[in-house]
Amino acid sequence: MDAGADRPVSGRPAGGRPVIGGVRSAFAPWEDPDAAPLVRFEGVSKRFGEHAAVEDVSLDIYEWEFFALLGPSGCGKTTLMRLLAGLETPDAGRILLRGEDITGLPPHARPTNMMFQSYALFPHLTVAQNVAFGLRQQRLPKREIAERVEEMLALVRLEGLGRRRPDQLSGGQKQRVALARAIAPRPRILLLDEPLAALDKKLRDETQFELMRLQHELRMTFLIVTHDQEEAMVVADRIAVMREGRIVQVGRPAEVYEAPANRYVAEFIGDVNLFEGQVTASTGQSVSVASAAADLVADSTQGFEHGQPVWIAVRPEKLVLHQDQPPRAPNLLAGEIREVGYLGDWTIVIAATAPGRTVRVALANTARASTRPLAVGAPVWLSFAPDAAMVLTR
């Protein structure tokens, strides 16, 4: 068999259909040196007065990708999206779409469409008329508009609601109408500005998978802006973490979670325990660190200097909690339970391991009941494997 027969070409797997799903291991056009990005930001900056909202950002987004811009309020993620939409003009740099410079094009001349956080539905129009709005702007024939509206309502599962007005809809239904209106003109890239922020948690969780389904069925590129780490981790092929107008890391969700570029990313993406210390030994396969909590060992192929300050980062779910002191365990910390929180699928334990120092542990509730309850004030021992730790230098 030809070794290259099943090799994806520019991110397109054999058969011409992108492999899309919760874990899209076969979809990685950014790893193909011959793949051209759909969107490219080249040294883009945008200032508002003295404030740099976006500072020298370069970024590639590929066709069929579900890409997330993630960061706290004020980090520049929405401004970057608005620059792509043409709603803002960069002070420096270029924005390319399929290799063509669109930096100076007005919004209506760009093959993009945006779904706003507020949904911005027209209250005096019916659901069908809202969905048809962009199609009428394109001056499509009435019959084609009617067919497209019917198709879009079926796609977002709102069949039969075309004659209702927005004030007769639930929050989730309004969100679907706004989404249908945004995708009806069939843009090259759909821009989603905090699209799920107004929904309750259960509906938000359900809608995340609906967005993934729609993106798969439409074979469209989605760019989502969100401050919700879990949302970005669920829906995105790749995430760009932003801070103060700059991109600090780009990668698959598992990459930014398991291998954060720095302490900022480690702390922003999920929960993490950080142990500050100094390197006492480095072998090229592991590193030993003296911290206030204990002497710790972590796997690392990176070279370190003796005495170099580092942080050992460990996710709460990678810590093992022992209610009796184990005879031997790697990276063992003695502590005392301070707080216990039951979340259904997880139990969160906060344990004090030193004066002024607490550690967060996440325990999966795989059994219906614990045979030995966790009591506040009880002694515990915590440990973690060397390969469960991350070594951060900044």
Side-chain angles (χ1 to χ4, degrees):
M1 181 176 177
D2 183 357
D6 293 325
R7 180 176 181 271
V9 177
S10 299
R12 184 188 300 222
R17 186 178 180 83
V19 178
I20 304 293
V23 179
R24 313 178 192 193
S25 59
F27 181 74
W30 50 88
E31 295 178 357
D32 183 351
D34 297 325
L38 175 65
V39 175
R40 169 165 284 175
F41 294 89
E42 291 185 349
V44 173
S45 297
K46 177 65 180 179
R47 303 185 71 87
F48 296 101
E50 297 299 316
H51 174 64
V54 174
E55 188 71 26
D56 193 26
V57 167
S58 294
L59 176 68
D60 289 343
I61 300 172
Y62 290 83
E63 194 164 18
W64 297 335
E65 189 171 8
F66 203 137
F67 196 95
L69 294 174
L70 174 66
S73 297
C75 72
K77 57 188 186 296
T78 297
T79 300
L80 193 61
M81 174 179 280
R82 289 174 62 85
L83 288 166
L84 177 55
L87 302 176
E88 301 287 352
T89 303
D91 297 318
R94 299 193 306 163
I95 302 173
L96 308 178
L97 186 82
R98 281 204 158 279
E100 296 184 13
D101 190 343
I102 62 169
T103 311
L105 290 181
H108 68 268
R110 303 185 183 204
T112 64
N113 211 354
M114 180 179 284
M115 177 180 164
F116 295 93
Q117 181 178 347
S118 63
Y119 305 154
L121 299 178
F122 300 111
H124 62 289
L125 299 182
T126 65
V127 167
Q129 290 168 339
N130 266 281
V131 175
F133 183 80
L135 303 177
R136 291 199 175 98
Q137 298 298 108
Q138 292 180 338
R139 301 185 183 279
L140 297 180
K142 289 184 178 181
R143 182 174 179 179
E144 184 176 346
I145 291 175
E147 291 175 351
R148 187 88 62 86
V149 168
E150 186 176 347
E151 177 189 351
M152 292 300 105
L153 292 180
L155 192 65
V156 298
R157 299 172 180 172
L158 288 179
E159 302 97 322
L161 300 184
R163 294 185 179 182
R164 292 192 185 181
R165 296 189 185 275
D167 61 1
Q168 298 173 306
L169 302 176
S170 68
Q173 289 171 331
K174 290 178 183 177
Q175 188 262 357
R176 288 167 182 259
V177 174
L179 184 58
R181 183 180 62 184
I183 61 180
R186 295 174 180 167
R188 201 61 183 267
I189 179 169
L190 180 63
L191 311 177
L192 303 161
D193 184 14
E194 303 273 9
L196 312 182
L199 305 181
D200 61 64
K201 186 180 187 312
K202 183 175 181 181
L203 185 55
R204 187 166 64 247
D205 291 346
E206 294 173 354
T207 307
Q208 290 169 3
F209 288 95
E210 279 293 294
L211 284 176
M212 294 166 66
R213 176 187 67 83
L214 285 170
Q215 195 250 354
H216 177 31
E217 292 186 11
L218 293 167
R219 301 178 71 181
M220 189 181 292
T221 305
F222 279 19
L223 173 62
I224 188 171
V225 157
T226 181
H227 64 272
D228 187 322
Q229 301 96 323
E230 182 179 309
E231 183 174 293
M233 297 277 284
V234 169
V235 304
D237 293 305
R238 286 191 303 158
I239 298 171
V241 183
M242 295 193 67
R243 181 187 189 188
E244 297 177 351
R246 295 180 179 273
I247 292 177
V248 292
Q249 185 170 359
V250 179
R252 289 184 183 272
E255 292 170 353
V256 296
Y257 185 81
E258 300 289 356
N262 50 45
R263 284 181 296 150
Y264 174 79
V265 176
E267 292 181 295
F268 189 76
I269 302 291
D271 294 319
V272 70
N273 299 295
L274 290 171
F275 302 95
E276 184 177 3
Q278 292 77 41
V279 173
T280 58
S282 178
T283 66
Q285 294 182 327
S286 67
V287 59
S288 299
V289 175
S291 76
D295 291 334
L296 306 174
V297 179
D299 288 354
S300 178
T301 56
Q302 185 177 351
F304 299 93
E305 296 180 1
H306 188 276
Q308 181 178 349
V310 295
W311 290 263
I312 301 293
V314 186
R315 297 294 185 185
E317 70 277 8
K318 299 185 188 300
L319 283 164
V320 179
L321 184 145
H322 312 267
Q323 291 180 275
D324 297 307
Q325 184 173 3
R328 289 186 64 184
N331 297 316
L332 188 64
L333 310 170
E336 179 183 293
I337 296 178
R338 290 292 175 84
E339 301 287 347
V340 179
Y342 178 75
L343 303 180
D345 50 352
W346 293 92
T347 293
I348 304 300
V349 178
I350 308 297
T353 57
R357 171 70 197 181
T358 59
V359 173
R360 187 181 183 94
V361 187
L363 307 175
N365 294 324
T366 56
R368 290 192 61 190
S370 174
T371 56
R372 188 175 173 185
L374 298 166
V376 173
V380 290
W381 290 262
L382 312 171
S383 66
F384 60 90
D387 64 0
M390 303 169 282
V391 185
L392 305 176
T393 58
R394 57 191 176 95

PDB file of all heavy atoms in Angstrom, residues 187-213:
ATOM      1  N   PRO A 187     -21.261  32.278   5.071  1.00  0.00           N
ATOM      2  CA  PRO A 187     -19.972  32.972   5.095  1.00  0.00           C
ATOM      3  C   PRO A 187     -18.816  31.982   5.038  1.00  0.00           C
ATOM      4  O   PRO A 187     -18.963  30.808   5.380  1.00  0.00           O
ATOM      5  CB  PRO A 187     -20.004  33.707   6.437  1.00  0.00           C
ATOM      6  CG  PRO A 187     -20.880  32.850   7.296  1.00  0.00           C
ATOM      7  CD  PRO A 187     -21.940  32.321   6.374  1.00  0.00           C
ATOM      8  N   ARG A 188     -17.654  32.475   4.662  1.00  0.00           N
ATOM      9  CA  ARG A 188     -16.469  31.629   4.624  1.00  0.00           C
ATOM     10  C   ARG A 188     -16.019  31.287   6.044  1.00  0.00           C
ATOM     11  O   ARG A 188     -15.509  30.205   6.312  1.00  0.00           O
ATOM     12  CB  ARG A 188     -15.352  32.350   3.876  1.00  0.00           C
ATOM     13  CG  ARG A 188     -14.272  31.444   3.334  1.00  0.00           C
ATOM     14  CD  ARG A 188     -14.881  30.457   2.344  1.00  0.00           C
ATOM     15  NE  ARG A 188     -13.918  29.527   1.837  1.00  0.00           N
ATOM     16  CZ  ARG A 188     -13.228  29.724   0.691  1.00  0.00           C
ATOM     17  NH1 ARG A 188     -13.388  30.831   0.006  1.00  0.00           N
ATOM     18  NH2 ARG A 188     -12.411  28.796   0.264  1.00  0.00           N
ATOM     19  N   ILE A 189     -16.231  32.261   6.956  1.00  0.00           N
ATOM     20  CA  ILE A 189     -15.870  32.045   8.353  1.00  0.00           C
ATOM     21  C   ILE A 189     -16.937  32.693   9.229  1.00  0.00           C
ATOM     22  O   ILE A 189     -17.336  33.833   8.991  1.00  0.00           O
ATOM     23  CB  ILE A 189     -14.452  32.590   8.663  1.00  0.00           C
ATOM     24  CG1 ILE A 189     -14.113  32.371  10.141  1.00  0.00           C
ATOM     25  CG2 ILE A 189     -14.314  34.046   8.269  1.00  0.00           C
ATOM     26  CD1 ILE A 189     -12.646  32.626  10.458  1.00  0.00           C
ATOM     27  N   LEU A 190     -17.403  31.952  10.211  1.00  0.00           N
ATOM     28  CA  LEU A 190     -18.425  32.447  11.131  1.00  0.00           C
ATOM     29  C   LEU A 190     -17.745  32.896  12.417  1.00  0.00           C
ATOM     30  O   LEU A 190     -16.976  32.146  13.026  1.00  0.00           O
ATOM     31  CB  LEU A 190     -19.450  31.351  11.436  1.00  0.00           C
ATOM     32  CG  LEU A 190     -20.570  31.755  12.403  1.00  0.00           C
ATOM     33  CD1 LEU A 190     -21.422  32.871  11.804  1.00  0.00           C
ATOM     34  CD2 LEU A 190     -21.448  30.552  12.743  1.00  0.00           C
ATOM     35  N   LEU A 191     -18.042  34.118  12.835  1.00  0.00           N
ATOM     36  CA  LEU A 191     -17.453  34.715  14.026  1.00  0.00           C
ATOM     37  C   LEU A 191     -18.485  34.692  15.152  1.00  0.00           C
ATOM     38  O   LEU A 191     -19.580  35.225  15.002  1.00  0.00           O
ATOM     39  CB  LEU A 191     -17.008  36.152  13.734  1.00  0.00           C
ATOM     40  CG  LEU A 191     -16.162  36.338  12.465  1.00  0.00           C
ATOM     41  CD1 LEU A 191     -15.846  37.813  12.252  1.00  0.00           C
ATOM     42  CD2 LEU A 191     -14.884  35.509  12.543  1.00  0.00           C
ATOM     43  N   LEU A 192     -18.120  34.075  16.259  1.00  0.00           N
ATOM     44  CA  LEU A 192     -19.038  33.882  17.383  1.00  0.00           C
ATOM     45  C   LEU A 192     -18.500  34.628  18.598  1.00  0.00           C
ATOM     46  O   LEU A 192     -17.498  34.215  19.200  1.00  0.00           O
ATOM     47  CB  LEU A 192     -19.184  32.392  17.701  1.00  0.00           C
ATOM     48  CG  LEU A 192     -19.671  31.503  16.548  1.00  0.00           C
ATOM     49  CD1 LEU A 192     -19.334  30.047  16.815  1.00  0.00           C
ATOM     50  CD2 LEU A 192     -21.164  31.678  16.357  1.00  0.00           C
ATOM     51  N   ASP A 193     -19.165  35.725  18.962  1.00  0.00           N
ATOM     52  CA  ASP A 193     -18.715  36.557  20.068  1.00  0.00           C
ATOM     53  C   ASP A 193     -19.470  36.179  21.340  1.00  0.00           C
ATOM     54  O   ASP A 193     -20.617  36.585  21.527  1.00  0.00           O
ATOM     55  CB  ASP A 193     -18.938  38.034  19.726  1.00  0.00           C
ATOM     56  CG  ASP A 193     -18.404  38.962  20.802  1.00  0.00           C
ATOM     57  OD1 ASP A 193     -17.644  38.490  21.674  1.00  0.00           O
ATOM     58  OD2 ASP A 193     -18.750  40.162  20.783  1.00  0.00           O
ATOM     59  N   GLU A 194     -18.833  35.385  22.208  1.00  0.00           N
ATOM     60  CA  GLU A 194     -19.446  34.931  23.468  1.00  0.00           C
ATOM     61  C   GLU A 194     -20.878  34.455  23.221  1.00  0.00           C
ATOM     62  O   GLU A 194     -21.825  34.922  23.850  1.00  0.00           O
ATOM     63  CB  GLU A 194     -19.449  36.071  24.494  1.00  0.00           C
ATOM     64  CG  GLU A 194     -18.088  36.649  24.809  1.00  0.00           C
ATOM     65  CD  GLU A 194     -17.371  35.911  25.920  1.00  0.00           C
ATOM     66  OE1 GLU A 194     -17.854  34.843  26.334  1.00  0.00           O
ATOM     67  OE2 GLU A 194     -16.322  36.412  26.361  1.00  0.00           O
ATOM     68  N   PRO A 195     -21.100  33.515  22.295  1.00  0.00           N
ATOM     69  CA  PRO A 195     -22.463  33.176  21.863  1.00  0.00           C
ATOM     70  C   PRO A 195     -23.309  32.479  22.918  1.00  0.00           C
ATOM     71  O   PRO A 195     -24.536  32.474  22.812  1.00  0.00           O
ATOM     72  CB  PRO A 195     -22.220  32.249  20.669  1.00  0.00           C
ATOM     73  CG  PRO A 195     -20.910  31.596  20.981  1.00  0.00           C
ATOM     74  CD  PRO A 195     -20.093  32.663  21.643  1.00  0.00           C
ATOM     75  N   LEU A 196     -22.689  31.900  23.948  1.00  0.00           N
ATOM     76  CA  LEU A 196     -23.440  31.114  24.927  1.00  0.00           C
ATOM     77  C   LEU A 196     -23.517  31.787  26.287  1.00  0.00           C
ATOM     78  O   LEU A 196     -24.027  31.201  27.243  1.00  0.00           O
ATOM     79  CB  LEU A 196     -22.813  29.723  25.081  1.00  0.00           C
ATOM     80  CG  LEU A 196     -22.493  28.974  23.783  1.00  0.00           C
ATOM     81  CD1 LEU A 196     -21.917  27.604  24.097  1.00  0.00           C
ATOM     82  CD2 LEU A 196     -23.725  28.851  22.914  1.00  0.00           C
ATOM     83  N   ALA A 197     -23.027  33.023  26.383  1.00  0.00           N
ATOM     84  CA  ALA A 197     -22.902  33.679  27.681  1.00  0.00           C
ATOM     85  C   ALA A 197     -24.247  33.887  28.366  1.00  0.00           C
ATOM     86  O   ALA A 197     -24.330  33.884  29.595  1.00  0.00           O
ATOM     87  CB  ALA A 197     -22.184  35.018  27.522  1.00  0.00           C
ATOM     88  N   ALA A 198     -25.324  34.067  27.601  1.00  0.00           N
ATOM     89  CA  ALA A 198     -26.627  34.376  28.199  1.00  0.00           C
ATOM     90  C   ALA A 198     -27.420  33.128  28.583  1.00  0.00           C
ATOM     91  O   ALA A 198     -28.521  33.252  29.127  1.00  0.00           O
ATOM     92  CB  ALA A 198     -27.449  35.231  27.229  1.00  0.00           C
ATOM     93  N   LEU A 199     -26.880  31.948  28.309  1.00  0.00           N
ATOM     94  CA  LEU A 199     -27.617  30.710  28.574  1.00  0.00           C
ATOM     95  C   LEU A 199     -27.270  30.161  29.948  1.00  0.00           C
ATOM     96  O   LEU A 199     -26.173  30.375  30.468  1.00  0.00           O
ATOM     97  CB  LEU A 199     -27.285  29.665  27.498  1.00  0.00           C
ATOM     98  CG  LEU A 199     -27.504  30.081  26.037  1.00  0.00           C
ATOM     99  CD1 LEU A 199     -27.150  28.925  25.117  1.00  0.00           C
ATOM    100  CD2 LEU A 199     -28.934  30.537  25.805  1.00  0.00           C
ATOM    101  N   ASP A 200     -28.226  29.412  30.544  1.00  0.00           N
ATOM    102  CA  ASP A 200     -27.926  28.756  31.809  1.00  0.00           C
ATOM    103  C   ASP A 200     -26.954  27.598  31.556  1.00  0.00           C
ATOM    104  O   ASP A 200     -26.748  27.173  30.424  1.00  0.00           O
ATOM    105  CB  ASP A 200     -29.198  28.261  32.502  1.00  0.00           C
ATOM    106  CG  ASP A 200     -29.959  27.230  31.674  1.00  0.00           C
ATOM    107  OD1 ASP A 200     -29.413  26.130  31.436  1.00  0.00           O
ATOM    108  OD2 ASP A 200     -31.102  27.514  31.272  1.00  0.00           O
ATOM    109  N   LYS A 201     -26.361  27.091  32.630  1.00  0.00           N
ATOM    110  CA  LYS A 201     -25.266  26.136  32.481  1.00  0.00           C
ATOM    111  C   LYS A 201     -25.672  24.884  31.710  1.00  0.00           C
ATOM    112  O   LYS A 201     -24.957  24.427  30.816  1.00  0.00           O
ATOM    113  CB  LYS A 201     -24.707  25.739  33.846  1.00  0.00           C
ATOM    114  CG  LYS A 201     -23.455  24.855  33.734  1.00  0.00           C
ATOM    115  CD  LYS A 201     -22.900  24.473  35.071  1.00  0.00           C
ATOM    116  CE  LYS A 201     -21.561  23.738  34.925  1.00  0.00           C
ATOM    117  NZ  LYS A 201     -21.560  22.661  33.940  1.00  0.00           N
ATOM    118  N   LYS A 202     -26.822  24.307  32.030  1.00  0.00           N
ATOM    119  CA  LYS A 202     -27.224  23.072  31.366  1.00  0.00           C
ATOM    120  C   LYS A 202     -27.437  23.297  29.876  1.00  0.00           C
ATOM    121  O   LYS A 202     -26.969  22.520  29.044  1.00  0.00           O
ATOM    122  CB  LYS A 202     -28.499  22.517  32.008  1.00  0.00           C
ATOM    123  CG  LYS A 202     -28.925  21.178  31.410  1.00  0.00           C
ATOM    124  CD  LYS A 202     -30.120  20.589  32.133  1.00  0.00           C
ATOM    125  CE  LYS A 202     -30.499  19.242  31.539  1.00  0.00           C
ATOM    126  NZ  LYS A 202     -31.672  18.642  32.215  1.00  0.00           N
ATOM    127  N   LEU A 203     -28.118  24.398  29.536  1.00  0.00           N
ATOM    128  CA  LEU A 203     -28.365  24.696  28.129  1.00  0.00           C
ATOM    129  C   LEU A 203     -27.062  25.057  27.430  1.00  0.00           C
ATOM    130  O   LEU A 203     -26.853  24.704  26.264  1.00  0.00           O
ATOM    131  CB  LEU A 203     -29.376  25.839  28.008  1.00  0.00           C
ATOM    132  CG  LEU A 203     -29.848  26.196  26.595  1.00  0.00           C
ATOM    133  CD1 LEU A 203     -30.420  24.975  25.887  1.00  0.00           C
ATOM    134  CD2 LEU A 203     -30.878  27.315  26.653  1.00  0.00           C
ATOM    135  N   ARG A 204     -26.185  25.743  28.142  1.00  0.00           N
ATOM    136  CA  ARG A 204     -24.893  26.093  27.555  1.00  0.00           C
ATOM    137  C   ARG A 204     -24.090  24.844  27.226  1.00  0.00           C
ATOM    138  O   ARG A 204     -23.482  24.726  26.163  1.00  0.00           O
ATOM    139  CB  ARG A 204     -24.117  26.990  28.520  1.00  0.00           C
ATOM    140  CG  ARG A 204     -22.832  27.553  27.941  1.00  0.00           C
ATOM    141  CD  ARG A 204     -22.286  28.691  28.799  1.00  0.00           C
ATOM    142  NE  ARG A 204     -21.902  28.247  30.131  1.00  0.00           N
ATOM    143  CZ  ARG A 204     -22.507  28.609  31.252  1.00  0.00           C
ATOM    144  NH1 ARG A 204     -23.558  29.424  31.205  1.00  0.00           N
ATOM    145  NH2 ARG A 204     -22.086  28.170  32.425  1.00  0.00           N
ATOM    146  N   ASP A 205     -24.092  23.877  28.148  1.00  0.00           N
ATOM    147  CA  ASP A 205     -23.368  22.627  27.912  1.00  0.00           C
ATOM    148  C   ASP A 205     -23.926  21.881  26.702  1.00  0.00           C
ATOM    149  O   ASP A 205     -23.170  21.342  25.881  1.00  0.00           O
ATOM    150  CB  ASP A 205     -23.440  21.737  29.147  1.00  0.00           C
ATOM    151  CG  ASP A 205     -22.653  22.297  30.325  1.00  0.00           C
ATOM    152  OD1 ASP A 205     -21.845  23.230  30.102  1.00  0.00           O
ATOM    153  OD2 ASP A 205     -22.839  21.821  31.453  1.00  0.00           O
ATOM    154  N   GLU A 206     -25.256  21.847  26.578  1.00  0.00           N
ATOM    155  CA  GLU A 206     -25.886  21.168  25.445  1.00  0.00           C
ATOM    156  C   GLU A 206     -25.565  21.884  24.138  1.00  0.00           C
ATOM    157  O   GLU A 206     -25.301  21.252  23.110  1.00  0.00           O
ATOM    158  CB  GLU A 206     -27.396  21.104  25.651  1.00  0.00           C
ATOM    159  CG  GLU A 206     -27.833  20.226  26.821  1.00  0.00           C
ATOM    160  CD  GLU A 206     -29.329  20.333  27.103  1.00  0.00           C
ATOM    161  OE1 GLU A 206     -29.979  21.189  26.456  1.00  0.00           O
ATOM    162  OE2 GLU A 206     -29.827  19.591  27.970  1.00  0.00           O
ATOM    163  N   THR A 207     -25.574  23.227  24.182  1.00  0.00           N
ATOM    164  CA  THR A 207     -25.389  24.004  22.961  1.00  0.00           C
ATOM    165  C   THR A 207     -23.959  23.916  22.451  1.00  0.00           C
ATOM    166  O   THR A 207     -23.706  24.057  21.247  1.00  0.00           O
ATOM    167  CB  THR A 207     -25.783  25.473  23.206  1.00  0.00           C
ATOM    168  OG1 THR A 207     -27.102  25.517  23.760  1.00  0.00           O
ATOM    169  CG2 THR A 207     -25.781  26.265  21.912  1.00  0.00           C
ATOM    170  N   GLN A 208     -23.006  23.693  23.342  1.00  0.00           N
ATOM    171  CA  GLN A 208     -21.621  23.510  22.894  1.00  0.00           C
ATOM    172  C   GLN A 208     -21.530  22.379  21.882  1.00  0.00           C
ATOM    173  O   GLN A 208     -20.882  22.513  20.833  1.00  0.00           O
ATOM    174  CB  GLN A 208     -20.727  23.221  24.097  1.00  0.00           C
ATOM    175  CG  GLN A 208     -20.515  24.415  25.012  1.00  0.00           C
ATOM    176  CD  GLN A 208     -19.844  24.028  26.318  1.00  0.00           C
ATOM    177  OE1 GLN A 208     -19.481  22.871  26.527  1.00  0.00           O
ATOM    178  NE2 GLN A 208     -19.679  24.981  27.215  1.00  0.00           N
ATOM    179  N   PHE A 209     -22.188  21.270  22.169  1.00  0.00           N
ATOM    180  CA  PHE A 209     -22.147  20.135  21.250  1.00  0.00           C
ATOM    181  C   PHE A 209     -22.993  20.397  20.001  1.00  0.00           C
ATOM    182  O   PHE A 209     -22.695  19.880  18.928  1.00  0.00           O
ATOM    183  CB  PHE A 209     -22.598  18.865  21.972  1.00  0.00           C
ATOM    184  CG  PHE A 209     -21.585  18.368  22.966  1.00  0.00           C
ATOM    185  CD1 PHE A 209     -21.675  18.710  24.303  1.00  0.00           C
ATOM    186  CD2 PHE A 209     -20.507  17.595  22.562  1.00  0.00           C
ATOM    187  CE1 PHE A 209     -20.719  18.285  25.221  1.00  0.00           C
ATOM    188  CE2 PHE A 209     -19.555  17.155  23.467  1.00  0.00           C
ATOM    189  CZ  PHE A 209     -19.664  17.505  24.800  1.00  0.00           C
ATOM    190  N   GLU A 210     -24.034  21.228  20.152  1.00  0.00           N
ATOM    191  CA  GLU A 210     -24.814  21.622  18.980  1.00  0.00           C
ATOM    192  C   GLU A 210     -23.950  22.442  18.019  1.00  0.00           C
ATOM    193  O   GLU A 210     -24.029  22.273  16.802  1.00  0.00           O
ATOM    194  CB  GLU A 210     -26.039  22.433  19.412  1.00  0.00           C
ATOM    195  CG  GLU A 210     -27.202  21.597  19.900  1.00  0.00           C
ATOM    196  CD  GLU A 210     -27.797  20.779  18.769  1.00  0.00           C
ATOM    197  OE1 GLU A 210     -28.368  21.358  17.828  1.00  0.00           O
ATOM    198  OE2 GLU A 210     -27.665  19.536  18.804  1.00  0.00           O
ATOM    199  N   LEU A 211     -23.144  23.345  18.562  1.00  0.00           N
ATOM    200  CA  LEU A 211     -22.250  24.130  17.711  1.00  0.00           C
ATOM    201  C   LEU A 211     -21.265  23.235  16.975  1.00  0.00           C
ATOM    202  O   LEU A 211     -20.989  23.432  15.785  1.00  0.00           O
ATOM    203  CB  LEU A 211     -21.491  25.152  18.553  1.00  0.00           C
ATOM    204  CG  LEU A 211     -22.247  26.391  19.009  1.00  0.00           C
ATOM    205  CD1 LEU A 211     -21.374  27.248  19.911  1.00  0.00           C
ATOM    206  CD2 LEU A 211     -22.734  27.208  17.820  1.00  0.00           C
ATOM    207  N   MET A 212     -20.743  22.235  17.664  1.00  0.00           N
ATOM    208  CA  MET A 212     -19.817  21.300  17.022  1.00  0.00           C
ATOM    209  C   MET A 212     -20.514  20.526  15.911  1.00  0.00           C
ATOM    210  O   MET A 212     -19.949  20.313  14.831  1.00  0.00           O
ATOM    211  CB  MET A 212     -19.249  20.352  18.069  1.00  0.00           C
ATOM    212  CG  MET A 212     -18.362  21.039  19.100  1.00  0.00           C
ATOM    213  SD  MET A 212     -18.012  20.014  20.549  1.00  0.00           S
ATOM    214  CE  MET A 212     -17.047  18.699  19.798  1.00  0.00           C
ATOM    215  N   ARG A 213     -21.763  20.120  16.169  1.00  0.00           N
ATOM    216  CA  ARG A 213     -22.519  19.390  15.145  1.00  0.00           C
ATOM    217  C   ARG A 213     -22.740  20.268  13.922  1.00  0.00           C
ATOM    218  O   ARG A 213     -22.546  19.838  12.773  1.00  0.00           O
ATOM    219  CB  ARG A 213     -23.864  18.944  15.729  1.00  0.00           C
ATOM    220  CG  ARG A 213     -24.773  18.242  14.702  1.00  0.00           C
ATOM    221  CD  ARG A 213     -26.154  17.960  15.264  1.00  0.00           C
ATOM    222  NE  ARG A 213     -26.912  19.168  15.529  1.00  0.00           N
ATOM    223  CZ  ARG A 213     -27.612  19.836  14.609  1.00  0.00           C
ATOM    224  NH1 ARG A 213     -27.619  19.422  13.347  1.00  0.00           N
ATOM    225  NH2 ARG A 213     -28.291  20.916  14.935  1.00  0.00           N
TER     226      ARG A 213
END
